[in-house]
Amino acid sequence: MSAHNRGTELDLSWISKIQVNHPAVLRRAEQIQARRTVKKEWQAAWLLKAVTFIDLTTLSGDDTSSNIQRLCYKAKYPIREDLLKALNMYDKGITTAAVCVYPARVCDAVKALKAAGCNIPVASVATGFPAGQTHLKTRLEEIRLAVEDGATEIDVVINRSLVLTGQWEALYDEIRQFRKACGEAHLKTILATGELGSLTNVYKASMIAMMAGSDFIKTSTGKETVNATFPVAIVMLRAIRDFFWKTGNKIGFKPAGGIRSAKDSLAWLSLVKEELGNEWLKPELFRIGASTLLSDIERQVSNNLCLWNKLTRVFEKGIEKSN
Amino acid sequence: MRTGVIGLILPPTFSFLEMMWRICPALAVGCTVVALVPPASPTPLLLAQLSGELGPFPGILNVISGPASLVPVLASQPGIQKVAFCGALEEGRALRRTLAGECAELGLALGTESLLLLTDTADVDSAVEGVVDAAWSDRGPGGLRLLIQESVWDEAMRRLQERMGRLRSGRGLDGAVDMGARGAAACDLVQRFVREAQSQGAQVFQAGNVPSEHPFYPPTLVSNLPPASPCAQAEVPWPVVVASPFRTAKEALALANGTPRGGSASVWSERLGQALELGYGLQVGTVWINAHGLRDPSVPTGGCKESGCSWHGGPDGLYEYLRPSGTPARLSCLSKNLNYDTFGLAVPSTLPAGPEIGPSPAPPYGLFVGGRFQAPGARSSRPIQDSSGNLHGYVAEGGAKDIRGAVEAAHQAFPGWAGQFPGARAALLWALAAALERRKSTLASRLERQGVELKAAEAEVELSARRLRAWGARAQAQGHTLQVAGLRGPVLRLREPLGVLAVVCPDEWPLLAFVSLLAPALAYGNTVVMVPSAACPLLALEVCQGSQFVEWASAGNLKPVWANRGCLRAWDQETEGAGPELGLRSARTKALWLPMGD
């Protein structure tokens, strides 16, 4: 993973005059989905690329070491061997980007990945996931313990009450403290956009999170009623672009929750390419938090295998062409 | 009641939707259509073929594919009752001149430019998407004039330029492109415009993923165009966006209303009050708040000023193809050798009335301008004779200078009068009605001297008073809300006053016609300059020629014109004297779109 975002000083003038117009953003979201579809053999390339962005996630109450082990194995071999061989992609090292688990299961995950001989990072959720309504002291301690256990990426949840009451300095301070507690681990800040009330709040929260030193901003925990939707993503991507214009730092983006079909994942890739450009289409700057998406991609690949036989050439050229 | 045969003329680059919007309402109310289309677009021919296959009504839609020189030929065909013209401004003007006095009515929908007003309280990224919808997509008909508040100028320009870099152009049927090409003629037009703008010192920025073959032109952003240059007043072609800064909302309104075109505009502001103020203040046919380019068949779409005053969609679109039942079809009153340059300039030479015999009837009436009687500029009066040939009185002879003074007074009074709330306007009309009733016996006796029977005269006065009251009551109804499918939020159909109306009254029913024309104009908030009837039937011929002259002269700045061509109108009948047609003509529609959501 690339260098950390050191963050900047808090500058409230970056968010004071921001207004986001909801109906206009909705119209833009529809337009992107309609206009930038990917077809034929490029679709295969994009799907495999999408696999490399997945943070394979399991966040259930009934996780034990056995299903964590299966998860880690799946992370190392996401697509069936024979399918990859047919596409000439067997030896290209296609794995998911990371594995995401609860703090108590980090040890199991690290052990399973080491046994499989895989060096993908283990990401842990922390700070009172998913609601975040616990004392600050325990939240910080959770981060430290997860990092000690071997997690190299931490997904923290912000305190929504601070956003809803407009306490931006307090939010900045909290996330700064999370940053410090993470140490060398990468910090992903979950904004829980479904609970923030308006798109303007989403933009402001994104900016504060980036100013405070997040390496990634993430749309949602996956446990809210409304998770990752296109309008919210457009606002967050615009915030990332504005932060890049102001400071030169590239912050990553992760939508999570509600991305279940291969077609959805292609739409998400199109969105990031359209709003931010090709540089953001790498695992260091883009992740998809999903659990059932992988099986749907595998199904799509196996169904359409006969149509895709020019894949290696396309994949090597990268995904600049989309049509 | 439907109008009859419609002649439709489409411009070289029309969209399928535009064509359907003009043909379908005409067919729906029962008119038949003859369409003239440029030969490069065969789509209407296909539509005509489909309609011909529909069974027992062949010939309801006829399509002729031909060059622009056929336009006057089609327009002057005797069977056509209305010509609907969409296209460029100069051709519209020329058509207006050739059709003056002909029996065909003319509806003009000119120009393709729109306007976008970006204030500093807007969501700039979404406004940039609005610019893309307006100018750099296949949905927008023409170029865009972009007004950006100075405090967000840098931000807006940066985002615009970055967004332009991501646009893709290509063949229209490719689903993944944003915009296509519009033909070689459009490409040449835009190249000329951009070259001229550059030579006048503007900065031109072009970007986007565009094939380099000929008819494809990249999205273009022109800024720093000096306001005095001719390009700043000319219509902006597709796909150019001309950006200029403004400081305050008042300045924005002045800049926006300063162009001679008045098609459509959008206002981007998150402050409701400011958005509505700008929306109401813009002199255009359609205003979108925080959106651009939304269209729906149930919302009237049209323009004002040089964008022509024909409408499509909504009730106004249907009224284009209807006329009040019972009114006769329009007659042609064409006089071929009407000399437009000298019409109306000659001073009528009336001999001074002979030496007065007997008591002088009354002091001469002056001209009523600006609230009081004043003497005419030429200081001459004309004798008015009653039906038995005796001298009835003197009225002042007004001239061009008096007209100018009257129009100026009307302009000065207009903002205040239009700003009055409807109750005040109604109160004035009711007061006028009361005054009329108080002087009923005097008015009746005057009418009697003009040859009207006493009973009929009294009835006329009473009806006039009643008309005034009726229009006073109707001053309250000022537009309504439409619900549009697919849009969350209202669309308001506003009825706005036109401004200063010039009314030349007919000779029949001298009092009633005068009142019937005055009342709706005032009720809707216009100010009027009225020329009452000359009380002499010999002048009917001149009125007829006057209709033709008025229609011809309106081509100058394309004012909406309503002329009766010398036909008598039954002012005492409800439909003709006080019907909805009068109300329609007295005001202008504006559609205000208010998408909602947070």
PDB file of all heavy atoms in Angstrom, chain B residues 89 113 145 192-202 222 224-237 242 258-261 306:
ATOM      1  N   LEU B  89     -33.818  32.961 -37.274  1.00  0.00           N
ATOM      2  CA  LEU B  89     -34.479  34.244 -37.061  1.00  0.00           C
ATOM      3  C   LEU B  89     -34.756  34.993 -38.356  1.00  0.00           C
ATOM      4  O   LEU B  89     -35.873  35.464 -38.593  1.00  0.00           O
ATOM      5  CB  LEU B  89     -33.579  35.096 -36.170  1.00  0.00           C
ATOM      6  CG  LEU B  89     -34.082  36.485 -35.907  1.00  0.00           C
ATOM      7  CD1 LEU B  89     -35.363  36.414 -35.155  1.00  0.00           C
ATOM      8  CD2 LEU B  89     -33.048  37.240 -35.104  1.00  0.00           C
ATOM      9  N   GLU B 113     -31.079  29.081 -28.790  1.00  0.00           N
ATOM     10  CA  GLU B 113     -30.141  29.346 -27.699  1.00  0.00           C
ATOM     11  C   GLU B 113     -30.860  29.280 -26.364  1.00  0.00           C
ATOM     12  O   GLU B 113     -32.041  29.578 -26.274  1.00  0.00           O
ATOM     13  CB  GLU B 113     -29.577  30.745 -27.911  1.00  0.00           C
ATOM     14  CG  GLU B 113     -28.536  31.150 -26.935  1.00  0.00           C
ATOM     15  CD  GLU B 113     -28.268  32.637 -27.080  1.00  0.00           C
ATOM     16  OE1 GLU B 113     -27.482  32.975 -27.947  1.00  0.00           O
ATOM     17  OE2 GLU B 113     -28.873  33.418 -26.334  1.00  0.00           O
ATOM     18  N   ARG B 145     -25.753  30.390 -23.353  1.00  0.00           N
ATOM     19  CA  ARG B 145     -25.135  31.591 -22.811  1.00  0.00           C
ATOM     20  C   ARG B 145     -25.044  31.371 -21.312  1.00  0.00           C
ATOM     21  O   ARG B 145     -26.063  31.155 -20.657  1.00  0.00           O
ATOM     22  CB  ARG B 145     -26.020  32.794 -23.141  1.00  0.00           C
ATOM     23  CG  ARG B 145     -25.331  34.104 -23.047  1.00  0.00           C
ATOM     24  CD  ARG B 145     -26.212  35.184 -23.645  1.00  0.00           C
ATOM     25  NE  ARG B 145     -26.201  35.160 -25.096  1.00  0.00           N
ATOM     26  CZ  ARG B 145     -25.244  35.693 -25.856  1.00  0.00           C
ATOM     27  NH1 ARG B 145     -24.232  36.287 -25.307  1.00  0.00           N
ATOM     28  NH2 ARG B 145     -25.319  35.626 -27.156  1.00  0.00           N
ATOM     29  N   ARG B 192     -17.300  29.399 -37.946  1.00  0.00           N
ATOM     30  CA  ARG B 192     -17.263  30.847 -38.208  1.00  0.00           C
ATOM     31  C   ARG B 192     -17.390  31.613 -36.900  1.00  0.00           C
ATOM     32  O   ARG B 192     -16.681  32.586 -36.649  1.00  0.00           O
ATOM     33  CB  ARG B 192     -18.426  31.241 -39.120  1.00  0.00           C
ATOM     34  CG  ARG B 192     -18.088  31.230 -40.585  1.00  0.00           C
ATOM     35  CD  ARG B 192     -19.039  32.111 -41.366  1.00  0.00           C
ATOM     36  NE  ARG B 192     -20.426  31.841 -41.074  1.00  0.00           N
ATOM     37  CZ  ARG B 192     -21.172  30.963 -41.738  1.00  0.00           C
ATOM     38  NH1 ARG B 192     -20.640  30.279 -42.718  1.00  0.00           N
ATOM     39  NH2 ARG B 192     -22.429  30.768 -41.402  1.00  0.00           N
ATOM     40  N   PHE B 193     -18.336  31.187 -36.066  1.00  0.00           N
ATOM     41  CA  PHE B 193     -18.562  31.890 -34.800  1.00  0.00           C
ATOM     42  C   PHE B 193     -17.304  31.884 -33.948  1.00  0.00           C
ATOM     43  O   PHE B 193     -16.903  32.909 -33.395  1.00  0.00           O
ATOM     44  CB  PHE B 193     -19.718  31.204 -34.054  1.00  0.00           C
ATOM     45  CG  PHE B 193     -20.104  31.871 -32.779  1.00  0.00           C
ATOM     46  CD1 PHE B 193     -21.030  32.893 -32.765  1.00  0.00           C
ATOM     47  CD2 PHE B 193     -19.537  31.472 -31.581  1.00  0.00           C
ATOM     48  CE1 PHE B 193     -21.379  33.512 -31.586  1.00  0.00           C
ATOM     49  CE2 PHE B 193     -19.876  32.088 -30.389  1.00  0.00           C
ATOM     50  CZ  PHE B 193     -20.809  33.112 -30.401  1.00  0.00           C
ATOM     51  N   VAL B 194     -16.663  30.715 -33.844  1.00  0.00           N
ATOM     52  CA  VAL B 194     -15.490  30.620 -32.966  1.00  0.00           C
ATOM     53  C   VAL B 194     -14.340  31.448 -33.518  1.00  0.00           C
ATOM     54  O   VAL B 194     -13.631  32.121 -32.776  1.00  0.00           O
ATOM     55  CB  VAL B 194     -15.091  29.136 -32.801  1.00  0.00           C
ATOM     56  CG1 VAL B 194     -13.765  29.020 -32.120  1.00  0.00           C
ATOM     57  CG2 VAL B 194     -16.146  28.416 -32.000  1.00  0.00           C
ATOM     58  N   ARG B 195     -14.198  31.444 -34.842  1.00  0.00           N
ATOM     59  CA  ARG B 195     -13.099  32.248 -35.414  1.00  0.00           C
ATOM     60  C   ARG B 195     -13.334  33.714 -35.127  1.00  0.00           C
ATOM     61  O   ARG B 195     -12.421  34.449 -34.758  1.00  0.00           O
ATOM     62  CB  ARG B 195     -13.054  32.032 -36.933  1.00  0.00           C
ATOM     63  CG  ARG B 195     -11.987  31.054 -37.381  1.00  0.00           C
ATOM     64  CD  ARG B 195     -11.650  31.296 -38.826  1.00  0.00           C
ATOM     65  NE  ARG B 195     -12.832  31.186 -39.668  1.00  0.00           N
ATOM     66  CZ  ARG B 195     -13.283  30.049 -40.194  1.00  0.00           C
ATOM     67  NH1 ARG B 195     -12.618  28.931 -40.005  1.00  0.00           N
ATOM     68  NH2 ARG B 195     -14.367  30.031 -40.925  1.00  0.00           N
ATOM     69  N   GLU B 196     -14.589  34.130 -35.296  1.00  0.00           N
ATOM     70  CA  GLU B 196     -14.869  35.536 -35.057  1.00  0.00           C
ATOM     71  C   GLU B 196     -14.661  35.896 -33.595  1.00  0.00           C
ATOM     72  O   GLU B 196     -14.132  36.955 -33.268  1.00  0.00           O
ATOM     73  CB  GLU B 196     -16.312  35.826 -35.442  1.00  0.00           C
ATOM     74  CG  GLU B 196     -16.479  37.200 -36.022  1.00  0.00           C
ATOM     75  CD  GLU B 196     -17.914  37.489 -36.294  1.00  0.00           C
ATOM     76  OE1 GLU B 196     -18.500  36.676 -37.047  1.00  0.00           O
ATOM     77  OE2 GLU B 196     -18.424  38.481 -35.764  1.00  0.00           O
ATOM     78  N   ALA B 197     -15.093  35.008 -32.721  1.00  0.00           N
ATOM     79  CA  ALA B 197     -14.913  35.284 -31.291  1.00  0.00           C
ATOM     80  C   ALA B 197     -13.435  35.411 -30.948  1.00  0.00           C
ATOM     81  O   ALA B 197     -13.032  36.296 -30.206  1.00  0.00           O
ATOM     82  CB  ALA B 197     -15.554  34.167 -30.464  1.00  0.00           C
ATOM     83  N   GLN B 198     -12.630  34.528 -31.520  1.00  0.00           N
ATOM     84  CA  GLN B 198     -11.195  34.600 -31.245  1.00  0.00           C
ATOM     85  C   GLN B 198     -10.601  35.889 -31.760  1.00  0.00           C
ATOM     86  O   GLN B 198      -9.754  36.499 -31.120  1.00  0.00           O
ATOM     87  CB  GLN B 198     -10.475  33.429 -31.923  1.00  0.00           C
ATOM     88  CG  GLN B 198     -10.246  32.293 -30.985  1.00  0.00           C
ATOM     89  CD  GLN B 198      -9.674  31.106 -31.688  1.00  0.00           C
ATOM     90  OE1 GLN B 198      -9.918  30.878 -32.857  1.00  0.00           O
ATOM     91  NE2 GLN B 198      -8.902  30.350 -30.963  1.00  0.00           N
ATOM     92  N   SER B 199     -11.058  36.313 -32.951  1.00  0.00           N
ATOM     93  CA  SER B 199     -10.472  37.531 -33.503  1.00  0.00           C
ATOM     94  C   SER B 199     -10.879  38.738 -32.674  1.00  0.00           C
ATOM     95  O   SER B 199     -10.217  39.758 -32.719  1.00  0.00           O
ATOM     96  CB  SER B 199     -10.919  37.715 -34.946  1.00  0.00           C
ATOM     97  OG  SER B 199     -12.284  38.034 -34.966  1.00  0.00           O
ATOM     98  N   GLN B 200     -11.963  38.652 -31.896  1.00  0.00           N
ATOM     99  CA  GLN B 200     -12.341  39.778 -31.050  1.00  0.00           C
ATOM    100  C   GLN B 200     -11.741  39.680 -29.665  1.00  0.00           C
ATOM    101  O   GLN B 200     -12.096  40.450 -28.781  1.00  0.00           O
ATOM    102  CB  GLN B 200     -13.856  39.848 -30.941  1.00  0.00           C
ATOM    103  CG  GLN B 200     -14.454  40.407 -32.203  1.00  0.00           C
ATOM    104  CD  GLN B 200     -15.869  39.964 -32.373  1.00  0.00           C
ATOM    105  OE1 GLN B 200     -16.483  39.502 -31.418  1.00  0.00           O
ATOM    106  NE2 GLN B 200     -16.393  40.105 -33.568  1.00  0.00           N
ATOM    107  N   GLY B 201     -10.876  38.720 -29.465  1.00  0.00           N
ATOM    108  CA  GLY B 201     -10.126  38.686 -28.211  1.00  0.00           C
ATOM    109  C   GLY B 201     -10.651  37.735 -27.171  1.00  0.00           C
ATOM    110  O   GLY B 201     -10.249  37.779 -26.026  1.00  0.00           O
ATOM    111  N   ALA B 202     -11.543  36.828 -27.557  1.00  0.00           N
ATOM    112  CA  ALA B 202     -12.049  35.897 -26.555  1.00  0.00           C
ATOM    113  C   ALA B 202     -11.085  34.739 -26.388  1.00  0.00           C
ATOM    114  O   ALA B 202     -10.268  34.453 -27.256  1.00  0.00           O
ATOM    115  CB  ALA B 202     -13.405  35.377 -26.994  1.00  0.00           C
ATOM    116  N   VAL B 222     -16.183  29.467 -24.555  1.00  0.00           N
ATOM    117  CA  VAL B 222     -15.648  30.778 -24.930  1.00  0.00           C
ATOM    118  C   VAL B 222     -15.795  31.698 -23.733  1.00  0.00           C
ATOM    119  O   VAL B 222     -16.884  31.834 -23.184  1.00  0.00           O
ATOM    120  CB  VAL B 222     -16.429  31.352 -26.134  1.00  0.00           C
ATOM    121  CG1 VAL B 222     -15.977  32.754 -26.435  1.00  0.00           C
ATOM    122  CG2 VAL B 222     -16.236  30.470 -27.351  1.00  0.00           C
ATOM    123  N   ASN B 224     -14.257  35.550 -21.709  1.00  0.00           N
ATOM    124  CA  ASN B 224     -13.617  36.855 -21.920  1.00  0.00           C
ATOM    125  C   ASN B 224     -13.983  37.467 -23.249  1.00  0.00           C
ATOM    126  O   ASN B 224     -13.179  38.142 -23.872  1.00  0.00           O
ATOM    127  CB  ASN B 224     -12.082  36.740 -21.854  1.00  0.00           C
ATOM    128  CG  ASN B 224     -11.650  36.457 -20.448  1.00  0.00           C
ATOM    129  OD1 ASN B 224     -12.364  36.779 -19.517  1.00  0.00           O
ATOM    130  ND2 ASN B 224     -10.509  35.832 -20.301  1.00  0.00           N
ATOM    131  N   LEU B 225     -15.198  37.243 -23.685  1.00  0.00           N
ATOM    132  CA  LEU B 225     -15.649  37.885 -24.912  1.00  0.00           C
ATOM    133  C   LEU B 225     -16.045  39.304 -24.556  1.00  0.00           C
ATOM    134  O   LEU B 225     -16.851  39.503 -23.665  1.00  0.00           O
ATOM    135  CB  LEU B 225     -16.842  37.119 -25.458  1.00  0.00           C
ATOM    136  CG  LEU B 225     -17.361  37.487 -26.829  1.00  0.00           C
ATOM    137  CD1 LEU B 225     -16.329  37.192 -27.867  1.00  0.00           C
ATOM    138  CD2 LEU B 225     -18.620  36.700 -27.103  1.00  0.00           C
ATOM    139  N   PRO B 226     -15.506  40.309 -25.208  1.00  0.00           N
ATOM    140  CA  PRO B 226     -15.876  41.677 -24.845  1.00  0.00           C
ATOM    141  C   PRO B 226     -17.366  41.896 -25.086  1.00  0.00           C
ATOM    142  O   PRO B 226     -17.886  41.514 -26.126  1.00  0.00           O
ATOM    143  CB  PRO B 226     -15.035  42.550 -25.783  1.00  0.00           C
ATOM    144  CG  PRO B 226     -14.171  41.653 -26.544  1.00  0.00           C
ATOM    145  CD  PRO B 226     -14.530  40.248 -26.277  1.00  0.00           C
ATOM    146  N   PRO B 227     -18.066  42.499 -24.132  1.00  0.00           N
ATOM    147  CA  PRO B 227     -19.524  42.598 -24.253  1.00  0.00           C
ATOM    148  C   PRO B 227     -19.985  43.406 -25.452  1.00  0.00           C
ATOM    149  O   PRO B 227     -21.082  43.241 -25.929  1.00  0.00           O
ATOM    150  CB  PRO B 227     -19.958  43.293 -22.957  1.00  0.00           C
ATOM    151  CG  PRO B 227     -18.803  43.235 -22.059  1.00  0.00           C
ATOM    152  CD  PRO B 227     -17.578  43.061 -22.854  1.00  0.00           C
ATOM    153  N   ALA B 228     -19.115  44.266 -25.966  1.00  0.00           N
ATOM    154  CA  ALA B 228     -19.545  45.091 -27.086  1.00  0.00           C
ATOM    155  C   ALA B 228     -19.366  44.398 -28.424  1.00  0.00           C
ATOM    156  O   ALA B 228     -19.772  44.927 -29.443  1.00  0.00           O
ATOM    157  CB  ALA B 228     -18.749  46.393 -27.075  1.00  0.00           C
ATOM    158  N   SER B 229     -18.789  43.226 -28.448  1.00  0.00           N
ATOM    159  CA  SER B 229     -18.512  42.618 -29.747  1.00  0.00           C
ATOM    160  C   SER B 229     -19.780  42.025 -30.327  1.00  0.00           C
ATOM    161  O   SER B 229     -20.679  41.639 -29.597  1.00  0.00           O
ATOM    162  CB  SER B 229     -17.459  41.532 -29.598  1.00  0.00           C
ATOM    163  OG  SER B 229     -18.014  40.447 -28.918  1.00  0.00           O
ATOM    164  N   PRO B 230     -19.864  41.938 -31.629  1.00  0.00           N
ATOM    165  CA  PRO B 230     -21.082  41.409 -32.261  1.00  0.00           C
ATOM    166  C   PRO B 230     -21.376  39.973 -31.850  1.00  0.00           C
ATOM    167  O   PRO B 230     -22.534  39.566 -31.773  1.00  0.00           O
ATOM    168  CB  PRO B 230     -20.790  41.477 -33.764  1.00  0.00           C
ATOM    169  CG  PRO B 230     -19.543  42.201 -33.921  1.00  0.00           C
ATOM    170  CD  PRO B 230     -18.906  42.443 -32.616  1.00  0.00           C
ATOM    171  N   CYS B 231     -20.338  39.199 -31.552  1.00  0.00           N
ATOM    172  CA  CYS B 231     -20.582  37.815 -31.152  1.00  0.00           C
ATOM    173  C   CYS B 231     -21.372  37.746 -29.857  1.00  0.00           C
ATOM    174  O   CYS B 231     -22.100  36.787 -29.615  1.00  0.00           O
ATOM    175  CB  CYS B 231     -19.251  37.084 -30.928  1.00  0.00           C
ATOM    176  SG  CYS B 231     -18.615  36.369 -32.411  1.00  0.00           S
ATOM    177  N   ALA B 232     -21.211  38.763 -29.027  1.00  0.00           N
ATOM    178  CA  ALA B 232     -21.891  38.717 -27.742  1.00  0.00           C
ATOM    179  C   ALA B 232     -23.388  38.890 -27.908  1.00  0.00           C
ATOM    180  O   ALA B 232     -24.158  38.507 -27.043  1.00  0.00           O
ATOM    181  CB  ALA B 232     -21.340  39.798 -26.819  1.00  0.00           C
ATOM    182  N   GLN B 233     -23.828  39.504 -29.012  1.00  0.00           N
ATOM    183  CA  GLN B 233     -25.254  39.670 -29.222  1.00  0.00           C
ATOM    184  C   GLN B 233     -25.823  38.623 -30.168  1.00  0.00           C
ATOM    185  O   GLN B 233     -27.024  38.402 -30.194  1.00  0.00           O
ATOM    186  CB  GLN B 233     -25.538  41.067 -29.823  1.00  0.00           C
ATOM    187  CG  GLN B 233     -25.416  42.179 -28.821  1.00  0.00           C
ATOM    188  CD  GLN B 233     -26.487  42.102 -27.760  1.00  0.00           C
ATOM    189  OE1 GLN B 233     -27.633  41.801 -28.041  1.00  0.00           O
ATOM    190  NE2 GLN B 233     -26.100  42.340 -26.530  1.00  0.00           N
ATOM    191  N   ALA B 234     -24.959  37.979 -30.938  1.00  0.00           N
ATOM    192  CA  ALA B 234     -25.473  37.005 -31.905  1.00  0.00           C
ATOM    193  C   ALA B 234     -25.884  35.729 -31.192  1.00  0.00           C
ATOM    194  O   ALA B 234     -25.470  35.471 -30.068  1.00  0.00           O
ATOM    195  CB  ALA B 234     -24.385  36.688 -32.934  1.00  0.00           C
ATOM    196  N   GLU B 235     -26.646  34.928 -31.880  1.00  0.00           N
ATOM    197  CA  GLU B 235     -27.088  33.687 -31.260  1.00  0.00           C
ATOM    198  C   GLU B 235     -25.917  32.704 -31.164  1.00  0.00           C
ATOM    199  O   GLU B 235     -25.125  32.574 -32.083  1.00  0.00           O
ATOM    200  CB  GLU B 235     -28.178  33.061 -32.108  1.00  0.00           C
ATOM    201  CG  GLU B 235     -28.858  31.940 -31.377  1.00  0.00           C
ATOM    202  CD  GLU B 235     -29.991  31.358 -32.150  1.00  0.00           C
ATOM    203  OE1 GLU B 235     -29.931  31.436 -33.379  1.00  0.00           O
ATOM    204  OE2 GLU B 235     -30.915  30.840 -31.525  1.00  0.00           O
ATOM    205  N   VAL B 236     -25.835  32.013 -30.072  1.00  0.00           N
ATOM    206  CA  VAL B 236     -24.714  31.100 -29.840  1.00  0.00           C
ATOM    207  C   VAL B 236     -25.019  29.759 -30.488  1.00  0.00           C
ATOM    208  O   VAL B 236     -26.036  29.144 -30.179  1.00  0.00           O
ATOM    209  CB  VAL B 236     -24.500  30.910 -28.327  1.00  0.00           C
ATOM    210  CG1 VAL B 236     -23.336  29.997 -28.073  1.00  0.00           C
ATOM    211  CG2 VAL B 236     -24.267  32.246 -27.670  1.00  0.00           C
ATOM    212  N   PRO B 237     -24.174  29.286 -31.393  1.00  0.00           N
ATOM    213  CA  PRO B 237     -24.477  28.019 -32.063  1.00  0.00           C
ATOM    214  C   PRO B 237     -24.076  26.824 -31.205  1.00  0.00           C
ATOM    215  O   PRO B 237     -23.293  26.958 -30.269  1.00  0.00           O
ATOM    216  CB  PRO B 237     -23.623  28.093 -33.333  1.00  0.00           C
ATOM    217  CG  PRO B 237     -22.470  28.939 -32.948  1.00  0.00           C
ATOM    218  CD  PRO B 237     -22.960  29.927 -31.938  1.00  0.00           C
ATOM    219  N   VAL B 242     -20.869  30.278 -24.200  1.00  0.00           N
ATOM    220  CA  VAL B 242     -20.212  31.574 -24.022  1.00  0.00           C
ATOM    221  C   VAL B 242     -20.414  31.979 -22.570  1.00  0.00           C
ATOM    222  O   VAL B 242     -21.537  32.172 -22.119  1.00  0.00           O
ATOM    223  CB  VAL B 242     -20.827  32.625 -24.962  1.00  0.00           C
ATOM    224  CG1 VAL B 242     -20.217  33.976 -24.686  1.00  0.00           C
ATOM    225  CG2 VAL B 242     -20.574  32.239 -26.403  1.00  0.00           C
ATOM    226  N   GLY B 258     -31.267  41.384 -21.543  1.00  0.00           N
ATOM    227  CA  GLY B 258     -30.772  42.296 -22.569  1.00  0.00           C
ATOM    228  C   GLY B 258     -30.588  41.660 -23.926  1.00  0.00           C
ATOM    229  O   GLY B 258     -30.396  42.347 -24.909  1.00  0.00           O
ATOM    230  N   THR B 259     -30.605  40.339 -24.015  1.00  0.00           N
ATOM    231  CA  THR B 259     -30.500  39.741 -25.343  1.00  0.00           C
ATOM    232  C   THR B 259     -31.873  39.758 -25.994  1.00  0.00           C
ATOM    233  O   THR B 259     -32.884  39.619 -25.315  1.00  0.00           O
ATOM    234  CB  THR B 259     -30.019  38.285 -25.264  1.00  0.00           C
ATOM    235  OG1 THR B 259     -30.899  37.566 -24.423  1.00  0.00           O
ATOM    236  CG2 THR B 259     -28.624  38.211 -24.697  1.00  0.00           C
ATOM    237  N   PRO B 260     -31.897  39.875 -27.297  1.00  0.00           N
ATOM    238  CA  PRO B 260     -33.196  39.944 -27.957  1.00  0.00           C
ATOM    239  C   PRO B 260     -33.947  38.614 -27.978  1.00  0.00           C
ATOM    240  O   PRO B 260     -35.097  38.570 -28.368  1.00  0.00           O
ATOM    241  CB  PRO B 260     -32.848  40.388 -29.386  1.00  0.00           C
ATOM    242  CG  PRO B 260     -31.410  40.136 -29.548  1.00  0.00           C
ATOM    243  CD  PRO B 260     -30.780  40.156 -28.216  1.00  0.00           C
ATOM    244  N   ARG B 261     -33.302  37.533 -27.539  1.00  0.00           N
ATOM    245  CA  ARG B 261     -33.997  36.252 -27.587  1.00  0.00           C
ATOM    246  C   ARG B 261     -34.607  35.935 -26.234  1.00  0.00           C
ATOM    247  O   ARG B 261     -34.137  36.370 -25.208  1.00  0.00           O
ATOM    248  CB  ARG B 261     -32.993  35.152 -27.956  1.00  0.00           C
ATOM    249  CG  ARG B 261     -32.524  35.281 -29.370  1.00  0.00           C
ATOM    250  CD  ARG B 261     -31.327  34.413 -29.610  1.00  0.00           C
ATOM    251  NE  ARG B 261     -30.158  34.947 -28.953  1.00  0.00           N
ATOM    252  CZ  ARG B 261     -29.433  35.941 -29.436  1.00  0.00           C
ATOM    253  NH1 ARG B 261     -29.753  36.510 -30.555  1.00  0.00           N
ATOM    254  NH2 ARG B 261     -28.374  36.362 -28.783  1.00  0.00           N
ATOM    255  N   GLU B 306     -37.638  37.740 -29.512  1.00  0.00           N
ATOM    256  CA  GLU B 306     -37.266  37.231 -30.833  1.00  0.00           C
ATOM    257  C   GLU B 306     -37.289  35.718 -30.949  1.00  0.00           C
ATOM    258  O   GLU B 306     -36.912  35.174 -31.972  1.00  0.00           O
ATOM    259  CB  GLU B 306     -35.870  37.715 -31.198  1.00  0.00           C
ATOM    260  CG  GLU B 306     -35.898  39.006 -31.923  1.00  0.00           C
ATOM    261  CD  GLU B 306     -34.519  39.429 -32.367  1.00  0.00           C
ATOM    262  OE1 GLU B 306     -33.631  38.567 -32.448  1.00  0.00           O
ATOM    263  OE2 GLU B 306     -34.339  40.617 -32.616  1.00  0.00           O
TER     264      GLU B 306
END
